[in-house]
Amino acid sequence: MGTDAPRSKGHRRVRRLLIALAVVAGLVLVTAGLGVWTVTRSFPTLAGTVDIAGLTDQVTVVRDSAGIPQITAKTAADLFIAQGYVHAQDRFWEMDFRRHVTSGRLSELFGESQVGTDTFVRTLGWRAVAEQEVALLDPVTLGYYQAYADGVNAYLDTHRGADLSLEYAVLSVQNPGYEVEPWTPADSVAWLKAMAWDLRSNLDDEIDRALLSTTLTPAEVTQLHPDYPVGQHPTITGTQAVTAPSAGAPAAERSLDVTDTPAALVDPDTYTQALGELRASLSSVPELLGPAGGEIGSNSWVVSGALTDTGLPLLANDPHRGPALPSVWYQVGLRCQSISEECPFDVAGYSFSGMPGVIIGHTERIAWGFTNLGPDVADLYIEKVTGESYEFDGVAKPLLLRDEKISVAGGDDVKIEIRSTEHGPLLSGFEGTVYPQIASDFPEAAQLPPAPEAAAGTPPTTYELSLQWTALTPGRTASAIFALNRATDFTSFRAAAALFDVPAQNLTYADVEGNIGYQAPGLIPIRASGNGTLPVPGWTSQYGWAGYIPFDALPSTFNPPSGYIVTANNAAADPGNPYLLTADWDLGYRANQITARLNELIAAKTPLTAELMSDIQADNYSAIAAALVPALQQVRLGGDAAEAQKLLDGWDYQVDADSAAAAYFNVIWRTLLHDMFTGKIDDGAALTGGDRAFSVVTSLLGQPDSPWWSNPAYGTVGQESMLRRVMTNAAKEATDLMGSNPTAWQWGSIHTLELKNASFGESGIAPLEWLFNRGPYELAGGSAVVNAVGWDATQGYQVDWVPSMRQVISLENFDDSTWINLTGASGHAFHSNYTDQAPLWRDHETRAWLFTPAAISQNAANTLTLEPA
């Protein structure tokens, strides 16, 4: 799915598993020959005939050499039974692990270390909302989900333990009593909550601003959270400007209203502690789609046939997520043998294991792509709580209380109490009674009487954080997937988009009639007051949600005069748009570069081809390098640093894997962000190196005497002093990392990706990680680059988010389309399709994406026939 959301710092992981090293060593013998059967026993049957309970007729599953299945059935029910069966064949451990995360049941797998994570997920109530959504499904859609579950369960009926996946052999050492439960529709729908969580827009930015507001002025906070540079970078449905801002151009300013004032409702130390605890809780939830972050980067663009070599549109898409093994995506084709109202599917693309249907791809008539729209759909409220009640408009209302029990492998059950207000669940508490400070910060609260001192035995009044979030209300996204898979034109496509409540995505569109389009869907709140950038008082209705933006008022365009549409998490509309979508767009560096590349080709009258679309996906141009390098070249240096500085002479600002200049520049960039801001902002609010950091530093280049350039901790005064220190120290670090010869440095040697198993791959036990992880891979690209192979400057140079897949769809001939996945179709370690696509992905190569039955049959490697039991 599309991508990006508020970025949390650091990696989120399942904590270390306490497995005896002797047992792990025994498992490693698997690959030495003693236990080959243990590894291969879970490999799926790919050819021949298998009887499946629930089928009404024969289904064929044709796989190519990459193990990608194309499923053909006579009925929709049989089609989804087969998809469930095939997903379980290749990916059931991944599916089972995910449903334990989304249900707050990791402790059942891994023991007491996961109780905190489970408590937080239970507090959010993902599973409960999913069950409500299932109850609201229409009979046809519910039938699809049930058919899918029946297919999964048909596989579980004949496979147990290590027969399902190698991970169960490992798990049995720690948790020998674990039994796999049958799959249900709610297990599938709950996955939508994980998608929404990792794409939750600006919640982390809201916390960040609040923490910064305790020590910085509003102007300084705005400088660190700049507005979208409209007029310099393009918007999706409006401005197509590609004018690069000049070095030193001031960041856009935002006038702050009362709701933007720092929420200094409590003593700053207490406020910082409470928000810090919440941020830690956010970070505890495993990343099922990857690190959340407004500084991630997804791209999708579509060009009309008037600009292509075929006379029909091309659609490119490369959504970015955190790297996972197996990849979050599963490639599949789903075809009804004869298209009818009862069996309307002829669709191929990227699915999620655990969910029926195709999320991103094309039918026989239309194609679509996703990037994250990133609207502000989550708000934090500061609630005034006394005992088991909270205040709202001067009235004490009882908290909504819910008791739950967490089962713990190898331990006693843990009982938890979940408390909620009308805004949503309470996520953290503030110590102390601080009511008198409210009036000075929020005038509308000035008429409220002072809080009386608590009488003996009376619970004190405290202030706690609640979360209102669109994903905690039952929605219709579970139906939207199938509506997309049935769509035949822009009208039916928009009707499907109207069901896509959460998470809101940028939907690009093309069809075989030559049309291109764009639609922003989603439930996006209209706030009675404020702009959602900071926590607001929850004890007054003044800051509540007054409804949602009407679907027809959301940004949309059809066949624009430019002949192309670019979405890269940039602003969806110009400032004249009557509704506030968010104050925290990606700042548009990638959108600017894609637009510039398209304009350059169009101006040269070069017909756009699928190959050129793939070339743009591989674009490594760094806008921050282009802005910063001229200043770096003016700094007077000596010794080894001067030799390193020469690497920047004549550099084309391409962050290629074999580039020495890119290696030195990125070490400079990381060192600069550290030295400029350490000691001035909270470590948790540190700039991670993406688009926001680019904008902040670029805006300061023309202000050499700005206080941000000086840091007493390092003895720097002014811009030149800071840059000299940074470049000197960066040269030393680069030498330590890559050797004493600067011309031999290579960005890819330190910018590496290790593909890690989402559960056991970060156990901290080397033999166990060896079983499941792969890599490292040396990579080009970087943050806020079209080839957005991102890294967190607060952590190091290692890759922590990536293009999770790449597709280019030709509407003239679907068989001329291309695709690639990050890893491979299989979730089974040591299977030939476990990571077979990763080297191609690394080298920006793609595979032919065949769609027509004749082409699929001609390239078949295996054919499995599923028969009714």
Side-chain angles (χ1 to χ4, degrees):
M1 169 145 309
T3 61
D4 325 317
R7 187 175 186 74
S8 57
K9 311 304 188 290
H11 293 289
R12 303 174 192 148
R13 62 189 63 190
V14 173
R15 297 185 183 107
R16 180 171 301 186
L17 304 175
L18 301 178
I19 300 175
L21 287 176
V23 176
V24 175
L27 285 173
V28 173
L29 291 177
V30 160
T31 58
L34 266 178
V36 171
W37 179 71
T38 303
V39 169
T40 62
R41 63 189 287 190
S42 63
F43 289 3
T45 299
L46 304 180
T49 301
V50 175
D51 294 340
I52 303 295
L55 288 179
T56 61
D57 211 322
Q58 186 181 91
V59 179
T60 59
V61 182
V62 177
R63 295 181 188 250
D64 62 11
S65 60
I68 299 169
Q70 305 286 340
I71 305 171
T72 303
K74 291 183 179 179
T75 70
D78 283 356
L79 189 66
F80 293 119
I81 287 173
Q83 187 183 16
Y85 188 87
V86 168
H87 275 172
Q89 278 188 306
D90 286 334
R91 300 280 193 95
F92 186 74
W93 168 261
E94 177 190 23
M95 295 164 59
D96 199 17
F97 174 69
R98 285 176 178 174
R99 72 167 162 179
H100 279 81
V101 175
T102 58
S103 300
R105 296 171 55 196
L106 281 175
S107 300
E108 293 181 15
L109 292 175
F110 305 122
E112 63 181 357
S113 67
Q114 299 306 302
V115 169
T117 297
D118 286 346
T119 298
F120 189 72
V121 172
R122 299 280 188 103
T123 299
L124 292 174
W126 291 356
R127 176 70 182 204
V129 178
E131 291 173 350
Q132 294 173 49
E133 291 184 355
V134 170
L136 295 175
L137 290 174
D138 65 90
V140 172
T141 303
L142 179 59
Y144 295 157
Y145 278 99
Q146 187 58 59
Y148 179 88
D150 291 345
V152 175
N153 292 331
Y155 192 73
L156 298 182
D157 286 344
T158 56
H159 295 77
R160 294 282 189 277
D163 291 334
L164 283 169
S165 197
L166 177 61
E167 285 90 342
Y168 289 103
V170 177
L171 182 68
S172 67
V173 177
Q174 179 192 358
N175 188 358
Y178 177 72
E179 292 287 339
V180 172
E181 297 176 354
W183 195 262
T184 70
D187 293 329
S188 296
V189 175
W191 174 236
L192 297 173
K193 301 305 149 188
M195 291 194 298
W197 181 251
D198 280 356
L199 303 175
R200 63 190 178 273
S201 75
N202 76 335
L203 182 58
D204 290 72
D205 286 315
E206 191 173 328
I207 295 172
D208 187 44
R209 281 192 186 90
L211 290 170
L212 291 172
S213 295
T214 64
T215 57
L216 301 179
T217 67
E220 289 172 325
V221 174
T222 298
Q223 192 168 30
L224 294 176
H225 283 271
D227 271 357
Y228 189 82
V230 176
Q232 298 170 349
H233 291 173
T235 60
I236 296 171
T237 59
T239 306
Q240 293 294 327
V242 291
T243 319
S246 60
E253 294 186 1
R254 172 171 51 240
S255 58
L256 305 181
D257 63 18
V258 64
T259 57
D260 288 309
T261 58
L265 307 176
V266 297
D267 175 81
D269 291 337
T270 307
Y271 189 71
T272 300
Q273 178 182 352
L275 283 169
E277 290 172 355
L278 174 56
R279 184 163 54 191
S281 295
L282 300 182
S283 299
S284 73
V285 181
E287 289 167 335
L288 298 182
L289 288 172
E295 298 191 23
I296 297 181
S298 296
N299 309 306
S300 183
W301 65 94
V302 59
V303 296
S304 76
L307 303 175
T308 70
D309 63 331
T310 66
L312 283 175
L314 292 168
L315 187 149
N317 192 195
D318 55 297
H320 289 60
R321 298 307 311 155
L325 182 58
S327 166
V328 69
W329 298 111
Y330 184 97
Q331 297 150 287
V332 68
L334 302 171
R335 173 173 279 119
C336 292
Q337 189 167 306
S338 297
I339 302 300
S340 65
E341 185 174 347
E342 291 74 24
C343 196
F345 301 103
D346 191 0
V347 60
Y350 294 85
S351 68
F352 288 131
S353 56
M355 281 199 70
V358 168
I359 308 299
I360 297 176
H362 69 82
T363 69
E364 80 282 9
R365 304 273 320 159
I366 75 166
W368 68 94
F370 279 10
T371 63
N372 193 32
L373 176 63
D376 187 351
V377 296
D379 282 345
L380 290 172
Y381 289 86
I382 304 172
E383 307 281 6
K384 188 156 54 130
V385 178
T386 304
E388 293 190 349
S389 66
Y390 67 100
E391 183 176 316
F392 188 74
D393 283 344
V395 176
K397 300 183 70 173
L399 289 170
L400 304 174
L401 304 177
R402 185 173 84 251
D403 293 326
E404 294 203 12
K405 181 178 67 176
I406 297 173
S407 298
V408 181
D412 296 331
D413 293 344
V414 175
K415 295 181 179 180
I416 61 173
E417 181 182 64
I418 297 165
R419 304 172 303 143
S420 301
T421 72
E422 64 186 66
H423 294 120
L426 291 172
L427 303 182
S428 70
F430 293 89
E431 297 289 339
T433 303
V434 292
Y435 183 87
Q437 296 183 12
I438 295 168
S440 63
D441 291 296
F442 292 92
E444 80 287 346
Q447 302 304 313
L448 296 176
E453 293 186 9
T458 301
T461 297
T462 60
Y463 291 88
E464 304 190 33
L465 289 173
S466 68
L467 172 67
Q468 186 167 13
W469 177 35
T470 55
L472 299 185
T473 299
R476 302 167 297 172
T477 307
S479 299
I481 305 302
F482 302 106
L484 273 177
N485 291 182
R486 293 191 303 263
T488 58
D489 56 20
F490 194 59
T491 299
S492 54
F493 173 78
R494 290 190 74 235
L499 300 173
F500 214 102
D501 292 331
V502 180
Q505 299 290 290
N506 293 307
L507 293 173
T508 51
Y509 169 91
D511 64 36
V512 295
E513 300 298 324
N515 300 300
I516 65 172
Y518 163 83
Q519 179 64 54
L523 291 179
I524 303 172
I526 300 171
R527 294 170 177 82
S529 299
N531 60 16
T533 58
L534 283 170
V536 293
W539 56 86
T540 167
S541 57
Q542 180 169 345
Y543 297 96
W545 291 0
Y548 299 101
I549 299 175
F551 177 76
D552 286 338
L554 292 171
S556 182
T557 188
F558 187 64
N559 291 333
S562 64
Y564 62 81
I565 303 165
V566 173
T567 78
N569 316 117
N570 51 316
D574 286 344
N577 186 60
Y579 292 101
L580 174 68
L581 300 175
T582 185
D584 290 298
W585 301 108
D586 178 277
L587 296 178
Y589 293 94
R590 287 175 291 108
N592 204 48
Q593 180 65 5
I594 295 167
T595 302
R597 288 287 303 276
L598 291 174
N599 284 345
E600 178 184 357
L601 292 166
I602 293 168
K605 301 187 183 305
T606 302
L608 302 179
T609 66
E611 291 76 16
L612 285 172
M613 298 299 97
S614 291
D615 288 345
I616 295 175
Q617 288 177 332
D619 193 318
N620 287 321
Y621 176 79
S622 171
I624 185 57
L628 186 56
V629 164
L632 299 176
Q633 290 176 309
Q634 298 301 313
V635 178
R636 296 183 301 275
L637 298 172
D640 293 340
E643 289 301 309
Q645 186 182 34
K646 294 177 182 178
L647 296 174
L648 304 177
D649 295 340
W651 182 36
D652 59 3
Y653 311 127
Q654 298 288 324
V655 283
D656 298 331
D658 60 357
S659 171
Y664 182 44
F665 174 79
N666 281 306
V667 177
I668 291 173
W669 179 237
R670 178 173 185 248
T671 308
L672 178 65
L673 294 178
H674 177 273
D675 288 5
M676 282 186 72
F677 299 105
T678 293
K680 301 179 183 181
I681 60 177
D682 175 74
D683 287 346
L687 296 170
T688 59
D691 65 291
R692 187 161 65 89
F694 285 18
S695 180
V696 171
V697 174
T698 300
S699 72
L700 294 171
L701 287 176
Q703 305 173 50
D705 297 324
S706 167
W708 290 110
W709 292 110
S710 301
N711 194 331
Y714 302 116
T716 61
V717 179
Q719 184 181 110
E720 184 171 354
S721 173
M722 174 63 74
L723 294 182
R724 182 180 298 110
R725 169 190 166 82
V726 165
M727 294 179 73
T728 301
N729 288 345
K732 294 177 182 176
E733 182 182 353
T735 297
D736 291 341
L737 291 171
M738 294 175 283
S740 59
N741 180 6
T743 62
W745 295 346
Q746 293 192 347
W747 172 224
S749 68
I750 58 175
H751 187 54
T752 59
L753 167 65
E754 183 179 5
L755 294 169
K756 297 180 180 179
N757 179 283
S759 48
F760 292 103
E762 297 190 63
S763 65
I765 302 173
L768 194 58
E769 293 182 354
W770 176 86
L771 280 176
F772 295 108
N773 297 346
R774 299 294 181 269
Y777 299 89
E778 297 187 357
L779 300 179
S783 304
V785 172
V786 176
N787 181 27
V789 181
W791 52 288
D792 186 337
T794 67
Q795 303 296 316
Y797 306 100
Q798 293 74 29
V799 173
D800 68 351
W801 44 271
V802 296
S804 57
M805 61 82 157
R806 300 185 185 101
Q807 68 172 14
V808 177
I809 302 174
S810 170
L811 276 296
E812 191 272 335
N813 182 355
F814 288 119
D815 287 340
D816 289 338
S817 305
T818 60
W819 61 355
I820 199 71
N821 207 348
L822 173 63
T823 59
S826 179
H828 299 288
F830 302 102
H831 191 279
S832 60
N833 298 133
Y834 189 48
T835 55
D836 57 318
Q837 296 187 57
L840 300 173
W841 174 92
R842 175 197 59 203
D843 297 335
H844 277 278
E845 298 178 16
T846 55
R847 292 180 54 86
W849 179 355
L850 303 178
F851 181 68
T852 62
I856 290 170
S857 177
Q858 185 175 355
N859 286 272
N862 292 287
T863 299
L864 177 67
T865 301
L866 306 180
E867 296 278 3

